[in-house]
Amino acid sequence: MLRSHNCGELRKSNVGETVQLCGWVDSYRDHGGVVFIDLRDRYGKTQVVFRPEEGSEVHIEGRHLRSEDVIQVAGEVVPRTEKDVNPKMVTGEIDVRVRELKVFSKSKTPPFEPRTQDLPNEELRLKYRFIDLRREELRKAMILRHKLTKLARDYFDEQGFLDIETPILGKSTPEGARDYLVPSRVHEGEFYALPQSPQIFKQILMVAGYDRYIQIAKCFRDEDLRADRQPEFTQIDLEMSFVEQDDVLSMVEGLLAVWMKELRGVDLQLPLPRLSHAEAMERFGTDKPDLRFGMEIVEITDLVADSDFGVFKNVVGSGGRVRGLNVKGVGDRYSRRVLDNDMKNLVGEHGAKGLAYFKVVGGKLESSIAKFFNEEQQKAIVERMQGEDGDLLLYVADQPDVTSAALAALRNHLGKDLELYDPQEMAIAWILEFPLVTWNEDEQRWDAEHHMFCNPFEEDLEYFVTDPSKIRARSYDLVCNGYEGASGSIRIHDTKIQQQVFDLLKIDPEEAEERFGFLLEALRYGAPPHGGVALGLDRWVMLFSMYDNIRDVIAFPKTQKASDLLSGAPSEVDPKQLRDLHIKLDLPK
RNA sequence: GGCCCUGUAGCUCAAUUGGUUAGAGUAUCGGACUGUCGAUCCGAGGGUUGCGGGUUCAAGUCCCGUCGGGGUCGCCA
């Protein structure tokens, strides 16, 4: 070993010991005589001291050390005088007095230093990821990620789950997200696809009798990125046989309880709150509500249908709804400019054509459009909204889905802007009973909401013929602070029901065989009732470490355009490689 | 694909309404200093204002295009 201790462990009790430390020069302070170096490794920092009387050569070399040089020092642990103790460092009670110095490697002047307060822009951080990863914040995130993963593996192991790997090179199934394709050299003109999830394989494992499966699985989706979406990401993927929905939910809840206990020291209240999809849409306008604060959506369609306000009246007349939010006590906080521009634009991004607003004054409404509502209507609105003097009431009038999307966005914006919640809090809940299918207006057909192997409620089977939009699925999402943290369902194991679903989705038998016949075939050889769920590991690390993007919890993330600025991927390849694969490029001009 | 933000010294930022030689902190280099811990003090070097075009007597600043980064809508079963 090149070191006897790491840089985070020496204490007063080590005084007098001769030690060797290795690490990176975090900072240096040269007083001409005495030179101080903060030596850093993954475990912490220790101050090492060069004094002229320890030998001129070592001292001179010490004076030339610069940020990020990698060195080994040998010397004696000495106590600091009381006034020199640094209470900000756990190793602040001691120094290592350097007798010998070895410089393993000098560093070029780094583009930024790991100890910097002013973070450089993300482009630079990604290009020099090896330096960014030296920062304490990122190191903490990596450690937290390790802990979440380790706790999950241990938990599922205790519950009898088997960790089984599934292929990375798989078959393209053109449902859902765009596939990342990998050309086959051996099979000319044919392609593998990287898995969007191990979905089909884990169901086949259930058929094969491995009734509790778990995998920390890399998944790939070639879609546009977001703050919480990377082209490759990690799922904690599991599947269980001979279970009902509640069994899967409580299994996941058990994991969350472990995480909360071990990482936050909190006893998670179980079972977690459960909301139906319909209820979530009604109260929060979204299937992934941020439940850290209230400010729920309230409907006033019935109260304004007869008002003199043309906008509301017309919307109601054409089947629309008028819904809004009561923003408590901020009647004067937002200027008309903010309301008419910023907030209107925000709801506009979600299709709303306008934003109506009132201030509650003396139990009535005040605003430029208040005159269109008679006293009775005003009082009814205030009462419905539970309005008190000084409240701000905001309304969107439009088709139902537009009011939901617009008000959900507005609610999230206001919650953050008004700091309506404790950022430390984690509000976790299940969203249940998603619709099995949604109508695709462009294609004029029904699309699976979750996926096509998702089991409908038996009591809803009659709606297959009468009104497919009413069929509820045995599917469930776990939401936390407005993020989808897990998603799963009980699967279909009955071939008759599976056929009904295919019929509804207009997937003809031949097509079904071609796309995923191997799963359908497996299901014909004795399929147990089964279901499962996948947790987005990156998002949970992000939530537990309170970042607002997942790049900060991934060691080597990609940019919004899916490139890796560190390695330069993607990149052109040698023409010979393309020839081997029989690929000719046909690029846009 | 749409919309919004952004790009000035290695880094973080400034630069009045379009107007003189584009500044500051930090980093780097040189010097001073024997107890600092964001060390301090003195000095020096460091710029194709992302790139290309245009308007103008004059462009970091205005216009068009383009590239990179970020946010978001579409998209993501």
mmCIF file with all atom_site columns, all heavy atoms in Angstrom, chain A residues 29 84 95 123 448 450, chain B residues 35-37 68 74-75 77:
data_model
loop_
_atom_site.group_PDB
_atom_site.id
_atom_site.type_symbol
_atom_site.label_atom_id
_atom_site.label_alt_id
_atom_site.label_comp_id
_atom_site.label_asym_id
_atom_site.label_entity_id
_atom_site.label_seq_id
_atom_site.pdbx_PDB_ins_code
_atom_site.Cartn_x
_atom_site.Cartn_y
_atom_site.Cartn_z
_atom_site.occupancy
_atom_site.B_iso_or_equiv
_atom_site.pdbx_formal_charge
_atom_site.auth_seq_id
_atom_site.auth_comp_id
_atom_site.auth_asym_id
_atom_site.auth_atom_id
_atom_site.pdbx_PDB_model_num
ATOM 1   N N     . ARG A 1 29  ? -1.146  27.022 0.625   1.00 0.00 ? 29  ARG A N     1
ATOM 2   C CA    . ARG A 1 29  ? -0.908  28.338 1.220   1.00 0.00 ? 29  ARG A CA    1
ATOM 3   C C     . ARG A 1 29  ? 0.566   28.413 1.578   1.00 0.00 ? 29  ARG A C     1
ATOM 4   O O     . ARG A 1 29  ? 1.037   27.722 2.461   1.00 0.00 ? 29  ARG A O     1
ATOM 5   C CB    . ARG A 1 29  ? -1.796  28.526 2.458   1.00 0.00 ? 29  ARG A CB    1
ATOM 6   C CG    . ARG A 1 29  ? -3.274  28.538 2.144   1.00 0.00 ? 29  ARG A CG    1
ATOM 7   C CD    . ARG A 1 29  ? -4.138  28.520 3.383   1.00 0.00 ? 29  ARG A CD    1
ATOM 8   N NE    . ARG A 1 29  ? -4.078  27.256 4.095   1.00 0.00 ? 29  ARG A NE    1
ATOM 9   C CZ    . ARG A 1 29  ? -4.746  26.161 3.720   1.00 0.00 ? 29  ARG A CZ    1
ATOM 10  N NH1   . ARG A 1 29  ? -5.514  26.187 2.647   1.00 0.00 ? 29  ARG A NH1   1
ATOM 11  N NH2   . ARG A 1 29  ? -4.635  25.047 4.407   1.00 0.00 ? 29  ARG A NH2   1
ATOM 12  N N     . ASP A 1 84  ? -5.183  27.163 16.433  1.00 0.00 ? 84  ASP A N     1
ATOM 13  C CA    . ASP A 1 84  ? -5.029  26.751 15.037  1.00 0.00 ? 84  ASP A CA    1
ATOM 14  C C     . ASP A 1 84  ? -5.977  25.630 14.626  1.00 0.00 ? 84  ASP A C     1
ATOM 15  O O     . ASP A 1 84  ? -6.006  25.232 13.463  1.00 0.00 ? 84  ASP A O     1
ATOM 16  C CB    . ASP A 1 84  ? -3.587  26.297 14.772  1.00 0.00 ? 84  ASP A CB    1
ATOM 17  C CG    . ASP A 1 84  ? -2.646  27.493 14.728  1.00 0.00 ? 84  ASP A CG    1
ATOM 18  O OD1   . ASP A 1 84  ? -3.112  28.573 14.346  1.00 0.00 ? 84  ASP A OD1   1
ATOM 19  O OD2   . ASP A 1 84  ? -1.464  27.324 15.076  1.00 0.00 ? 84  ASP A OD2   1
ATOM 20  N N     . ASP A 1 95  ? -2.196  18.061 12.122  1.00 0.00 ? 95  ASP A N     1
ATOM 21  C CA    . ASP A 1 95  ? -1.499  18.248 10.849  1.00 0.00 ? 95  ASP A CA    1
ATOM 22  C C     . ASP A 1 95  ? -0.635  17.023 10.623  1.00 0.00 ? 95  ASP A C     1
ATOM 23  O O     . ASP A 1 95  ? -0.334  16.287 11.568  1.00 0.00 ? 95  ASP A O     1
ATOM 24  C CB    . ASP A 1 95  ? -0.536  19.452 10.917  1.00 0.00 ? 95  ASP A CB    1
ATOM 25  C CG    . ASP A 1 95  ? -1.271  20.771 10.957  1.00 0.00 ? 95  ASP A CG    1
ATOM 26  O OD1   . ASP A 1 95  ? -2.332  20.877 10.321  1.00 0.00 ? 95  ASP A OD1   1
ATOM 27  O OD2   . ASP A 1 95  ? -0.759  21.693 11.632  1.00 0.00 ? 95  ASP A OD2   1
ATOM 28  N N     . GLU A 1 123 ? -21.424 22.624 -19.763 1.00 0.00 ? 123 GLU A N     1
ATOM 29  C CA    . GLU A 1 123 ? -20.638 22.117 -20.885 1.00 0.00 ? 123 GLU A CA    1
ATOM 30  C C     . GLU A 1 123 ? -19.212 21.780 -20.425 1.00 0.00 ? 123 GLU A C     1
ATOM 31  O O     . GLU A 1 123 ? -18.677 20.714 -20.712 1.00 0.00 ? 123 GLU A O     1
ATOM 32  C CB    . GLU A 1 123 ? -20.613 23.206 -21.961 1.00 0.00 ? 123 GLU A CB    1
ATOM 33  C CG    . GLU A 1 123 ? -20.162 22.735 -23.302 1.00 0.00 ? 123 GLU A CG    1
ATOM 34  C CD    . GLU A 1 123 ? -20.264 23.845 -24.326 1.00 0.00 ? 123 GLU A CD    1
ATOM 35  O OE1   . GLU A 1 123 ? -20.923 24.875 -24.047 1.00 0.00 ? 123 GLU A OE1   1
ATOM 36  O OE2   . GLU A 1 123 ? -19.657 23.695 -25.393 1.00 0.00 ? 123 GLU A OE2   1
ATOM 37  N N     . ALA A 1 448 ? -52.463 1.871  -26.086 1.00 0.00 ? 448 ALA A N     1
ATOM 38  C CA    . ALA A 1 448 ? -52.295 1.402  -24.708 1.00 0.00 ? 448 ALA A CA    1
ATOM 39  C C     . ALA A 1 448 ? -51.695 2.535  -23.873 1.00 0.00 ? 448 ALA A C     1
ATOM 40  O O     . ALA A 1 448 ? -50.758 3.198  -24.306 1.00 0.00 ? 448 ALA A O     1
ATOM 41  C CB    . ALA A 1 448 ? -51.371 0.192  -24.671 1.00 0.00 ? 448 ALA A CB    1
ATOM 42  N N     . HIS A 1 450 ? -50.424 2.175  -20.646 1.00 0.00 ? 450 HIS A N     1
ATOM 43  C CA    . HIS A 1 450 ? -49.215 1.667  -19.988 1.00 0.00 ? 450 HIS A CA    1
ATOM 44  C C     . HIS A 1 450 ? -48.480 0.767  -20.978 1.00 0.00 ? 450 HIS A C     1
ATOM 45  O O     . HIS A 1 450 ? -47.518 1.171  -21.579 1.00 0.00 ? 450 HIS A O     1
ATOM 46  C CB    . HIS A 1 450 ? -49.609 0.926  -18.712 1.00 0.00 ? 450 HIS A CB    1
ATOM 47  C CG    . HIS A 1 450 ? -48.451 0.464  -17.899 1.00 0.00 ? 450 HIS A CG    1
ATOM 48  N ND1   . HIS A 1 450 ? -47.518 1.325  -17.393 1.00 0.00 ? 450 HIS A ND1   1
ATOM 49  C CD2   . HIS A 1 450 ? -48.087 -0.760 -17.487 1.00 0.00 ? 450 HIS A CD2   1
ATOM 50  C CE1   . HIS A 1 450 ? -46.608 0.639  -16.724 1.00 0.00 ? 450 HIS A CE1   1
ATOM 51  N NE2   . HIS A 1 450 ? -46.934 -0.630 -16.765 1.00 0.00 ? 450 HIS A NE2   1
ATOM 52  P P     . G   B 2 35  ? 3.721   32.957 10.902  1.00 0.00 ? 35  G   B P     1
ATOM 53  O OP1   . G   B 2 35  ? 3.402   34.136 10.068  1.00 0.00 ? 35  G   B OP1   1
ATOM 54  O OP2   . G   B 2 35  ? 4.225   33.156 12.280  1.00 0.00 ? 35  G   B OP2   1
ATOM 55  O "O5'" . G   B 2 35  ? 2.456   32.010 10.990  1.00 0.00 ? 35  G   B "O5'" 1
ATOM 56  C "C5'" . G   B 2 35  ? 1.552   31.907 9.901   1.00 0.00 ? 35  G   B "C5'" 1
ATOM 57  C "C4'" . G   B 2 35  ? 0.427   31.001 10.288  1.00 0.00 ? 35  G   B "C4'" 1
ATOM 58  O "O4'" . G   B 2 35  ? 0.906   29.629 10.270  1.00 0.00 ? 35  G   B "O4'" 1
ATOM 59  C "C3'" . G   B 2 35  ? -0.124  31.250 11.689  1.00 0.00 ? 35  G   B "C3'" 1
ATOM 60  O "O3'" . G   B 2 35  ? -1.504  30.945 11.699  1.00 0.00 ? 35  G   B "O3'" 1
ATOM 61  C "C2'" . G   B 2 35  ? 0.583   30.187 12.530  1.00 0.00 ? 35  G   B "C2'" 1
ATOM 62  O "O2'" . G   B 2 35  ? -0.118  29.808 13.692  1.00 0.00 ? 35  G   B "O2'" 1
ATOM 63  C "C1'" . G   B 2 35  ? 0.633   29.035 11.516  1.00 0.00 ? 35  G   B "C1'" 1
ATOM 64  N N9    . G   B 2 35  ? 1.666   28.034 11.768  1.00 0.00 ? 35  G   B N9    1
ATOM 65  C C8    . G   B 2 35  ? 3.019   28.213 11.856  1.00 0.00 ? 35  G   B C8    1
ATOM 66  N N7    . G   B 2 35  ? 3.666   27.101 12.069  1.00 0.00 ? 35  G   B N7    1
ATOM 67  C C5    . G   B 2 35  ? 2.672   26.122 12.133  1.00 0.00 ? 35  G   B C5    1
ATOM 68  C C6    . G   B 2 35  ? 2.760   24.736 12.340  1.00 0.00 ? 35  G   B C6    1
ATOM 69  O O6    . G   B 2 35  ? 3.775   24.052 12.508  1.00 0.00 ? 35  G   B O6    1
ATOM 70  N N1    . G   B 2 35  ? 1.511   24.138 12.333  1.00 0.00 ? 35  G   B N1    1
ATOM 71  C C2    . G   B 2 35  ? 0.333   24.796 12.153  1.00 0.00 ? 35  G   B C2    1
ATOM 72  N N2    . G   B 2 35  ? -0.762  24.050 12.185  1.00 0.00 ? 35  G   B N2    1
ATOM 73  N N3    . G   B 2 35  ? 0.224   26.095 11.949  1.00 0.00 ? 35  G   B N3    1
ATOM 74  C C4    . G   B 2 35  ? 1.428   26.693 11.949  1.00 0.00 ? 35  G   B C4    1
ATOM 75  P P     . U   B 2 36  ? -2.591  32.128 11.670  1.00 0.00 ? 36  U   B P     1
ATOM 76  O OP1   . U   B 2 36  ? -1.918  33.439 11.740  1.00 0.00 ? 36  U   B OP1   1
ATOM 77  O OP2   . U   B 2 36  ? -3.647  31.772 12.638  1.00 0.00 ? 36  U   B OP2   1
ATOM 78  O "O5'" . U   B 2 36  ? -3.216  31.945 10.212  1.00 0.00 ? 36  U   B "O5'" 1
ATOM 79  C "C5'" . U   B 2 36  ? -2.694  32.678 9.117   1.00 0.00 ? 36  U   B "C5'" 1
ATOM 80  C "C4'" . U   B 2 36  ? -2.757  31.829 7.879   1.00 0.00 ? 36  U   B "C4'" 1
ATOM 81  O "O4'" . U   B 2 36  ? -1.949  30.640 8.053   1.00 0.00 ? 36  U   B "O4'" 1
ATOM 82  C "C3'" . U   B 2 36  ? -4.141  31.281 7.555   1.00 0.00 ? 36  U   B "C3'" 1
ATOM 83  O "O3'" . U   B 2 36  ? -4.943  32.232 6.889   1.00 0.00 ? 36  U   B "O3'" 1
ATOM 84  C "C2'" . U   B 2 36  ? -3.806  30.098 6.662   1.00 0.00 ? 36  U   B "C2'" 1
ATOM 85  O "O2'" . U   B 2 36  ? -3.484  30.512 5.362   1.00 0.00 ? 36  U   B "O2'" 1
ATOM 86  C "C1'" . U   B 2 36  ? -2.527  29.573 7.320   1.00 0.00 ? 36  U   B "C1'" 1
ATOM 87  N N1    . U   B 2 36  ? -2.784  28.443 8.236   1.00 0.00 ? 36  U   B N1    1
ATOM 88  C C2    . U   B 2 36  ? -3.035  27.216 7.658   1.00 0.00 ? 36  U   B C2    1
ATOM 89  O O2    . U   B 2 36  ? -3.063  27.058 6.457   1.00 0.00 ? 36  U   B O2    1
ATOM 90  N N3    . U   B 2 36  ? -3.260  26.192 8.532   1.00 0.00 ? 36  U   B N3    1
ATOM 91  C C4    . U   B 2 36  ? -3.250  26.270 9.907   1.00 0.00 ? 36  U   B C4    1
ATOM 92  O O4    . U   B 2 36  ? -3.472  25.253 10.565  1.00 0.00 ? 36  U   B O4    1
ATOM 93  C C5    . U   B 2 36  ? -2.983  27.571 10.430  1.00 0.00 ? 36  U   B C5    1
ATOM 94  C C6    . U   B 2 36  ? -2.759  28.598 9.599   1.00 0.00 ? 36  U   B C6    1
ATOM 95  P P     . C   B 2 37  ? -6.507  32.301 7.178   1.00 0.00 ? 37  C   B P     1
ATOM 96  O OP1   . C   B 2 37  ? -7.049  33.349 6.296   1.00 0.00 ? 37  C   B OP1   1
ATOM 97  O OP2   . C   B 2 37  ? -6.714  32.347 8.641   1.00 0.00 ? 37  C   B OP2   1
ATOM 98  O "O5'" . C   B 2 37  ? -7.037  30.887 6.665   1.00 0.00 ? 37  C   B "O5'" 1
ATOM 99  C "C5'" . C   B 2 37  ? -7.026  30.586 5.276   1.00 0.00 ? 37  C   B "C5'" 1
ATOM 100 C "C4'" . C   B 2 37  ? -7.382  29.130 5.087   1.00 0.00 ? 37  C   B "C4'" 1
ATOM 101 O "O4'" . C   B 2 37  ? -6.466  28.299 5.831   1.00 0.00 ? 37  C   B "O4'" 1
ATOM 102 C "C3'" . C   B 2 37  ? -8.750  28.734 5.629   1.00 0.00 ? 37  C   B "C3'" 1
ATOM 103 O "O3'" . C   B 2 37  ? -9.715  28.967 4.632   1.00 0.00 ? 37  C   B "O3'" 1
ATOM 104 C "C2'" . C   B 2 37  ? -8.593  27.256 5.912   1.00 0.00 ? 37  C   B "C2'" 1
ATOM 105 O "O2'" . C   B 2 37  ? -8.787  26.477 4.753   1.00 0.00 ? 37  C   B "O2'" 1
ATOM 106 C "C1'" . C   B 2 37  ? -7.114  27.155 6.304   1.00 0.00 ? 37  C   B "C1'" 1
ATOM 107 N N1    . C   B 2 37  ? -6.900  27.071 7.751   1.00 0.00 ? 37  C   B N1    1
ATOM 108 C C2    . C   B 2 37  ? -6.974  25.811 8.362   1.00 0.00 ? 37  C   B C2    1
ATOM 109 O O2    . C   B 2 37  ? -7.256  24.824 7.654   1.00 0.00 ? 37  C   B O2    1
ATOM 110 N N3    . C   B 2 37  ? -6.758  25.711 9.689   1.00 0.00 ? 37  C   B N3    1
ATOM 111 C C4    . C   B 2 37  ? -6.459  26.800 10.398  1.00 0.00 ? 37  C   B C4    1
ATOM 112 N N4    . C   B 2 37  ? -6.248  26.643 11.692  1.00 0.00 ? 37  C   B N4    1
ATOM 113 C C5    . C   B 2 37  ? -6.376  28.088 9.804   1.00 0.00 ? 37  C   B C5    1
ATOM 114 C C6    . C   B 2 37  ? -6.606  28.179 8.490   1.00 0.00 ? 37  C   B C6    1
ATOM 115 P P     . G   B 2 68  ? -24.621 21.531 -32.597 1.00 0.00 ? 68  G   B P     1
ATOM 116 O OP1   . G   B 2 68  ? -24.362 20.076 -32.730 1.00 0.00 ? 68  G   B OP1   1
ATOM 117 O OP2   . G   B 2 68  ? -25.991 22.067 -32.730 1.00 0.00 ? 68  G   B OP2   1
ATOM 118 O "O5'" . G   B 2 68  ? -24.054 22.026 -31.197 1.00 0.00 ? 68  G   B "O5'" 1
ATOM 119 C "C5'" . G   B 2 68  ? -22.737 21.665 -30.812 1.00 0.00 ? 68  G   B "C5'" 1
ATOM 120 C "C4'" . G   B 2 68  ? -22.353 22.385 -29.543 1.00 0.00 ? 68  G   B "C4'" 1
ATOM 121 O "O4'" . G   B 2 68  ? -22.350 23.817 -29.754 1.00 0.00 ? 68  G   B "O4'" 1
ATOM 122 C "C3'" . G   B 2 68  ? -23.296 22.218 -28.362 1.00 0.00 ? 68  G   B "C3'" 1
ATOM 123 O "O3'" . G   B 2 68  ? -23.153 20.964 -27.728 1.00 0.00 ? 68  G   B "O3'" 1
ATOM 124 C "C2'" . G   B 2 68  ? -22.881 23.384 -27.482 1.00 0.00 ? 68  G   B "C2'" 1
ATOM 125 O "O2'" . G   B 2 68  ? -21.653 23.103 -26.846 1.00 0.00 ? 68  G   B "O2'" 1
ATOM 126 C "C1'" . G   B 2 68  ? -22.660 24.473 -28.531 1.00 0.00 ? 68  G   B "C1'" 1
ATOM 127 N N9    . G   B 2 68  ? -23.869 25.296 -28.699 1.00 0.00 ? 68  G   B N9    1
ATOM 128 C C8    . G   B 2 68  ? -24.771 25.276 -29.728 1.00 0.00 ? 68  G   B C8    1
ATOM 129 N N7    . G   B 2 68  ? -25.753 26.130 -29.560 1.00 0.00 ? 68  G   B N7    1
ATOM 130 C C5    . G   B 2 68  ? -25.472 26.736 -28.347 1.00 0.00 ? 68  G   B C5    1
ATOM 131 C C6    . G   B 2 68  ? -26.165 27.749 -27.629 1.00 0.00 ? 68  G   B C6    1
ATOM 132 O O6    . G   B 2 68  ? -27.216 28.326 -27.942 1.00 0.00 ? 68  G   B O6    1
ATOM 133 N N1    . G   B 2 68  ? -25.525 28.067 -26.438 1.00 0.00 ? 68  G   B N1    1
ATOM 134 C C2    . G   B 2 68  ? -24.373 27.495 -25.985 1.00 0.00 ? 68  G   B C2    1
ATOM 135 N N2    . G   B 2 68  ? -23.916 27.934 -24.814 1.00 0.00 ? 68  G   B N2    1
ATOM 136 N N3    . G   B 2 68  ? -23.710 26.563 -26.643 1.00 0.00 ? 68  G   B N3    1
ATOM 137 C C4    . G   B 2 68  ? -24.315 26.236 -27.800 1.00 0.00 ? 68  G   B C4    1
ATOM 138 P P     . G   B 2 74  ? -46.708 18.056 -24.110 1.00 0.00 ? 74  G   B P     1
ATOM 139 O OP1   . G   B 2 74  ? -48.138 17.754 -23.901 1.00 0.00 ? 74  G   B OP1   1
ATOM 140 O OP2   . G   B 2 74  ? -45.675 17.423 -23.263 1.00 0.00 ? 74  G   B OP2   1
ATOM 141 O "O5'" . G   B 2 74  ? -46.345 17.735 -25.633 1.00 0.00 ? 74  G   B "O5'" 1
ATOM 142 C "C5'" . G   B 2 74  ? -47.262 18.057 -26.682 1.00 0.00 ? 74  G   B "C5'" 1
ATOM 143 C "C4'" . G   B 2 74  ? -46.626 17.795 -28.026 1.00 0.00 ? 74  G   B "C4'" 1
ATOM 144 O "O4'" . G   B 2 74  ? -45.409 18.576 -28.144 1.00 0.00 ? 74  G   B "O4'" 1
ATOM 145 C "C3'" . G   B 2 74  ? -46.167 16.367 -28.284 1.00 0.00 ? 74  G   B "C3'" 1
ATOM 146 O "O3'" . G   B 2 74  ? -47.218 15.526 -28.716 1.00 0.00 ? 74  G   B "O3'" 1
ATOM 147 C "C2'" . G   B 2 74  ? -45.103 16.563 -29.354 1.00 0.00 ? 74  G   B "C2'" 1
ATOM 148 O "O2'" . G   B 2 74  ? -45.695 16.772 -30.620 1.00 0.00 ? 74  G   B "O2'" 1
ATOM 149 C "C1'" . G   B 2 74  ? -44.439 17.856 -28.885 1.00 0.00 ? 74  G   B "C1'" 1
ATOM 150 N N9    . G   B 2 74  ? -43.302 17.564 -27.998 1.00 0.00 ? 74  G   B N9    1
ATOM 151 C C8    . G   B 2 74  ? -43.270 17.612 -26.629 1.00 0.00 ? 74  G   B C8    1
ATOM 152 N N7    . G   B 2 74  ? -42.110 17.277 -26.127 1.00 0.00 ? 74  G   B N7    1
ATOM 153 C C5    . G   B 2 74  ? -41.336 16.993 -27.232 1.00 0.00 ? 74  G   B C5    1
ATOM 154 C C6    . G   B 2 74  ? -39.996 16.569 -27.335 1.00 0.00 ? 74  G   B C6    1
ATOM 155 O O6    . G   B 2 74  ? -39.180 16.360 -26.415 1.00 0.00 ? 74  G   B O6    1
ATOM 156 N N1    . G   B 2 74  ? -39.595 16.389 -28.654 1.00 0.00 ? 74  G   B N1    1
ATOM 157 C C2    . G   B 2 74  ? -40.398 16.588 -29.740 1.00 0.00 ? 74  G   B C2    1
ATOM 158 N N2    . G   B 2 74  ? -39.838 16.351 -30.931 1.00 0.00 ? 74  G   B N2    1
ATOM 159 N N3    . G   B 2 74  ? -41.657 16.985 -29.680 1.00 0.00 ? 74  G   B N3    1
ATOM 160 C C4    . G   B 2 74  ? -42.056 17.164 -28.403 1.00 0.00 ? 74  G   B C4    1
ATOM 161 P P     . C   B 2 75  ? -47.446 14.115 -28.005 1.00 0.00 ? 75  C   B P     1
ATOM 162 O OP1   . C   B 2 75  ? -48.420 13.372 -28.818 1.00 0.00 ? 75  C   B OP1   1
ATOM 163 O OP2   . C   B 2 75  ? -47.709 14.337 -26.574 1.00 0.00 ? 75  C   B OP2   1
ATOM 164 O "O5'" . C   B 2 75  ? -46.030 13.406 -28.121 1.00 0.00 ? 75  C   B "O5'" 1
ATOM 165 C "C5'" . C   B 2 75  ? -45.563 12.896 -29.377 1.00 0.00 ? 75  C   B "C5'" 1
ATOM 166 C "C4'" . C   B 2 75  ? -44.135 12.439 -29.233 1.00 0.00 ? 75  C   B "C4'" 1
ATOM 167 O "O4'" . C   B 2 75  ? -43.329 13.559 -28.768 1.00 0.00 ? 75  C   B "O4'" 1
ATOM 168 C "C3'" . C   B 2 75  ? -43.869 11.357 -28.194 1.00 0.00 ? 75  C   B "C3'" 1
ATOM 169 O "O3'" . C   B 2 75  ? -44.169 10.057 -28.669 1.00 0.00 ? 75  C   B "O3'" 1
ATOM 170 C "C2'" . C   B 2 75  ? -42.391 11.558 -27.898 1.00 0.00 ? 75  C   B "C2'" 1
ATOM 171 O "O2'" . C   B 2 75  ? -41.602 11.011 -28.929 1.00 0.00 ? 75  C   B "O2'" 1
ATOM 172 C "C1'" . C   B 2 75  ? -42.287 13.084 -27.931 1.00 0.00 ? 75  C   B "C1'" 1
ATOM 173 N N1    . C   B 2 75  ? -42.455 13.663 -26.583 1.00 0.00 ? 75  C   B N1    1
ATOM 174 C C2    . C   B 2 75  ? -41.338 13.690 -25.742 1.00 0.00 ? 75  C   B C2    1
ATOM 175 O O2    . C   B 2 75  ? -40.263 13.244 -26.157 1.00 0.00 ? 75  C   B O2    1
ATOM 176 N N3    . C   B 2 75  ? -41.466 14.204 -24.494 1.00 0.00 ? 75  C   B N3    1
ATOM 177 C C4    . C   B 2 75  ? -42.645 14.674 -24.080 1.00 0.00 ? 75  C   B C4    1
ATOM 178 N N4    . C   B 2 75  ? -42.711 15.169 -22.845 1.00 0.00 ? 75  C   B N4    1
ATOM 179 C C5    . C   B 2 75  ? -43.798 14.656 -24.917 1.00 0.00 ? 75  C   B C5    1
ATOM 180 C C6    . C   B 2 75  ? -43.655 14.150 -26.148 1.00 0.00 ? 75  C   B C6    1
ATOM 181 P P     . A   B 2 77  ? -42.620 5.128  -23.451 1.00 0.00 ? 77  A   B P     1
ATOM 182 O OP1   . A   B 2 77  ? -43.144 5.936  -22.341 1.00 0.00 ? 77  A   B OP1   1
ATOM 183 O OP2   . A   B 2 77  ? -41.655 4.095  -23.182 1.00 0.00 ? 77  A   B OP2   1
ATOM 184 O "O5'" . A   B 2 77  ? -43.803 4.474  -24.253 1.00 0.00 ? 77  A   B "O5'" 1
ATOM 185 C "C5'" . A   B 2 77  ? -44.930 5.203  -24.615 1.00 0.00 ? 77  A   B "C5'" 1
ATOM 186 C "C4'" . A   B 2 77  ? -46.039 4.252  -24.907 1.00 0.00 ? 77  A   B "C4'" 1
ATOM 187 O "O4'" . A   B 2 77  ? -45.521 2.929  -25.087 1.00 0.00 ? 77  A   B "O4'" 1
ATOM 188 C "C3'" . A   B 2 77  ? -47.079 4.156  -23.792 1.00 0.00 ? 77  A   B "C3'" 1
ATOM 189 O "O3'" . A   B 2 77  ? -48.375 3.984  -24.412 1.00 0.00 ? 77  A   B "O3'" 1
ATOM 190 C "C2'" . A   B 2 77  ? -46.697 2.881  -23.104 1.00 0.00 ? 77  A   B "C2'" 1
ATOM 191 O "O2'" . A   B 2 77  ? -47.740 2.269  -22.423 1.00 0.00 ? 77  A   B "O2'" 1
ATOM 192 C "C1'" . A   B 2 77  ? -46.243 2.037  -24.280 1.00 0.00 ? 77  A   B "C1'" 1
ATOM 193 N N9    . A   B 2 77  ? -45.389 0.911  -23.939 1.00 0.00 ? 77  A   B N9    1
ATOM 194 C C8    . A   B 2 77  ? -45.501 -0.353 -24.450 1.00 0.00 ? 77  A   B C8    1
ATOM 195 N N7    . A   B 2 77  ? -44.616 -1.202 -23.991 1.00 0.00 ? 77  A   B N7    1
ATOM 196 C C5    . A   B 2 77  ? -43.882 -0.448 -23.115 1.00 0.00 ? 77  A   B C5    1
ATOM 197 C C6    . A   B 2 77  ? -42.777 -0.754 -22.301 1.00 0.00 ? 77  A   B C6    1
ATOM 198 N N6    . A   B 2 77  ? -42.207 -1.943 -22.243 1.00 0.00 ? 77  A   B N6    1
ATOM 199 N N1    . A   B 2 77  ? -42.283 0.222  -21.544 1.00 0.00 ? 77  A   B N1    1
ATOM 200 C C2    . A   B 2 77  ? -42.838 1.437  -21.606 1.00 0.00 ? 77  A   B C2    1
ATOM 201 N N3    . A   B 2 77  ? -43.843 1.857  -22.338 1.00 0.00 ? 77  A   B N3    1
ATOM 202 C C4    . A   B 2 77  ? -44.334 0.855  -23.076 1.00 0.00 ? 77  A   B C4    1
#
